[in-house]
Amino acid sequence: MNTKRMEIARLHQRFGFGPRPGEFAASLKMGVEKSRSALTTIPASDPGADAIAEPVLTDLGPRPKPNSADVVPFALGMRNQSEKLSLWWLDRMALSNHGLSEKMTWFWHGHWATSITKVDYPLTMFKQNQTLRKYALGNFNEMSRAMLNDGALQFWLDGQDSTAKAPNENLARELMELFILGVDRYTEDDVKALAKVLTGYQVVKSNGTVTFNPKRHDSSAVTLLGTNRVFTGESVVDYLVARDDCPKFIAERFWYRFISSTEPMPANFSAVKALSSRNISQGVLAMTNDSALKDARFALVKSPVEWFISACRALELTPSLLEKPAQLNGFLNKLGQIPFSPPNVGGWPAGEAWLSSASAQYRISFATWLVKQSSLRGLLEISEDRRVMQSADWLGVAEWSARTQAALRNSVSNPQEFAVLALCSPEYVVSA
């Protein structure tokens, strides 16, 4: 395989949501280093993302009593706002000129996995999404502090029910295991101690407002990870983030989501050292420069949302303008991934979990539906005699296998069929 093409394809697919027509070919001309710089340097503004109006979400208030006259308007409002929220984010992913910010927001959504299925309120989830975007490439310590005060996360992990008399351990456990330190880097006594420190938070579920009630808080000294002292919520986050396990854990999560979900992270993975200052942007930059990015062993399966958004960018489609939003939601649901609805606090699966005979059939139906709504400009600009090979540039694929080339060759005069085959090919579903 051409290493240069593979590395540039990985930069586009893994640190963005795939190229739009012409972008991959332009990157090939620029070369790896300039492409890396362009794809990882955050611009002062992003006209593509800026053109997307934020969804108008209101505080819908407490859920009405059963069988009251307010139930139906409330339910319609919840459904309408949920649909707006999901389409707004999908539009941002598809239409941003610079993909890294949105890709990192997507990564952190899976890291601090919080689901609207329990939180219920779109406004509360929207506020969390804004926080994730604000800190997506910033400082992990500041992000962790902000997430402690995030209404959606607090409600999702029962923080609002945690009092000095009855500390709830859910948030404490996941803060160490899934968010900051990693598995087996704490004890059950540490969970109990941290749970005491995190008592006193209260949440207005309908709008995500978080307050701290000292009367519900346990302010006694605790022994946490070998240190005995009085912590506040903020100081305990600082304490956890300052531990050596933190940059290693975040680097492990980077490795799993951006490099390989099957091979273990090597000890010399450059993101570990780069994250020593907890600067997320430095960690991402180190990852894009790491030799692992040009190692052919580390293929990565696209998640359903990543595959869908990359298809939208290649087909020049806007998610919110597709026919029947309910049908879009149905396709994503069949493939097992809808934004704002991770299956549990561990986030979505990865790798071969997304590959099954059933998902392959759903993906073909989904691709057929999308292709019918596209002008296929990027494909039709390629003459038929060059279409098989140059369509790899259109989609940002490192190279087609001989088998895929043969299948595409048979459909070269049928652009719609050709596009569906290409979008569902192993080389497009998997970032080689």
Side-chain angles (χ1 to χ4, degrees):
M1 181 178 291
N2 182 315
T3 304
K4 174 184 173 184
R5 284 186 64 94
M6 183 183 70
E7 195 168 358
I8 290 176
R10 287 181 173 182
L11 286 168
H12 273 282
Q13 302 288 358
R14 302 186 188 191
F15 299 95
F17 285 99
R20 295 179 292 199
E23 291 182 344
F24 186 71
S27 289
L28 290 174
K29 290 180 181 176
M30 290 166 61
V32 175
E33 294 310 318
K34 288 185 178 178
S35 296
R36 188 187 342 266
S37 176
L39 293 168
T40 57
T41 302
I42 304 302
S45 64
D46 186 329
D50 295 343
I52 303 165
E54 290 188 355
V56 178
L57 305 177
T58 58
D59 185 347
L60 294 169
R63 183 175 291 276
K65 293 181 180 179
N67 302 319
S68 69
D70 295 331
V71 167
V72 172
F74 177 83
L76 290 175
M78 292 281 272
R79 187 171 68 183
N80 177 267
Q81 291 196 15
S82 293
E83 182 178 296
K84 282 183 180 178
L85 178 63
S86 181
L87 289 174
W88 164 78
W89 196 12
L90 292 171
D91 278 359
R92 282 192 65 97
M93 295 179 196
L95 301 181
S96 293
N97 293 346
H98 195 269
L100 182 59
S101 294
E102 222 52 44
K103 191 59 175 283
M104 289 306 298
T105 305
W106 174 246
F107 166 79
W108 291 116
H109 173 51
H111 182 86
W112 300 90
T114 306
S115 176
I116 197 170
T117 56
K118 179 175 178 178
V119 176
D120 282 342
Y121 287 87
L123 178 59
T124 305
M125 295 299 296
F126 174 66
K127 288 182 176 179
Q128 183 187 83
N129 185 270
Q130 296 291 70
T131 298
L132 295 176
R133 183 169 293 99
K134 178 179 179 180
Y135 296 103
L137 287 157
N139 182 279
F140 185 71
N141 200 159
E142 294 174 5
M143 168 184 269
S144 299
R145 276 182 165 231
M147 290 306 293
L148 179 66
N149 287 284
D150 176 73
L153 187 74
Q154 282 280 355
F155 190 86
W156 170 242
L157 293 174
D158 306 312
Q160 80 287 349
D161 296 327
S162 189
T163 65
K165 290 184 178 178
N168 187 297
E169 297 177 0
N170 287 351
L171 179 59
R173 183 181 307 280
E174 307 310 355
L175 200 63
M176 290 191 285
E177 179 169 318
L178 296 177
F179 303 149
I180 297 180
L181 299 180
V183 178
D184 295 334
R185 290 165 180 162
Y186 62 91
T187 67
E188 286 302 303
D189 286 342
D190 292 322
V191 173
K192 296 182 188 303
L194 182 55
K196 291 181 180 178
V197 176
L198 298 180
T199 52
Y201 289 90
Q202 293 181 283
V203 180
V204 179
K205 185 181 179 185
S206 63
N207 60 30
T209 299
V210 176
T211 56
F212 180 73
N213 185 346
K215 295 179 180 177
R216 292 162 59 100
H217 176 63
D218 185 339
S219 59
S220 61
V222 299
T223 300
L224 177 64
L225 296 165
T227 295
N228 183 272
R229 56 183 274 200
V230 174
F231 289 99
T232 65
E234 285 68 26
S235 69
V236 84
V237 165
D238 294 347
Y239 174 69
L240 294 176
V241 173
R243 293 183 68 81
D244 291 341
D245 283 333
C246 176
K248 182 180 180 183
F249 174 60
I250 300 305
E252 289 170 345
R253 302 316 296 166
F254 278 4
W255 176 269
Y256 184 73
R257 294 295 182 186
F258 292 97
I259 304 296
S260 174
S261 62
T262 56
E263 301 294 326
M265 183 186 83
N268 63 349
F269 183 41
S270 54
V272 180
K273 184 177 180 181
L275 284 163
S276 60
S277 65
R278 308 325 188 241
N279 184 310
I280 298 167
S281 181
Q282 291 300 315
V284 171
L285 186 61
M287 183 165 47
T288 64
N289 277 288
D290 195 276
S291 59
L293 200 64
K294 50 189 174 186
D295 189 324
R297 292 177 298 164
F298 302 136
L300 204 60
V301 179
K302 292 176 185 172
S303 75
V305 165
E306 291 167 345
W307 174 85
F308 163 65
I309 294 298
S310 64
C312 282
R313 289 175 66 82
L315 297 171
E316 299 178 292
L317 294 172
T318 301
S320 64
L321 299 181
L322 292 170
E323 298 172 358
K324 301 178 182 177
Q327 194 164 358
L328 167 59
N329 202 56
F331 279 123
L332 291 174
N333 188 43
K334 285 181 177 177
L335 288 175
Q337 191 172 47
I338 297 177
F340 300 104
S341 299
N344 53 56
V345 70
W348 281 286
E352 294 187 2
W354 298 120
L355 302 177
S356 68
S357 55
S359 67
Q361 290 299 316
Y362 292 141
R363 195 175 292 110
I364 290 171
S365 299
F366 199 177
T368 302
W369 185 70
L370 293 171
V371 165
K372 286 179 179 176
Q373 298 178 66
S374 169
S375 69
L376 293 179
R377 182 184 67 85
L379 179 62
L380 294 176
E381 286 180 347
I382 308 171
S383 62
E384 289 189 13
D385 61 317
R386 295 180 298 146
R387 188 163 290 168
V388 172
M389 300 309 294
Q390 291 199 3
S391 60
D393 290 359
W394 167 48
L395 295 178
V397 168
E399 69 178 25
W400 298 124
S401 68
R403 186 174 181 178
T404 297
Q405 288 181 40
L408 294 175
R409 198 170 294 115
N410 289 334
S411 301
V412 77
S413 297
N414 185 334
Q416 289 199 348
E417 184 175 282
F418 186 102
V420 171
L421 285 172
L423 292 172
C424 296
S425 67
E427 295 85 356
Y428 191 69
V429 174
V430 178
S431 171

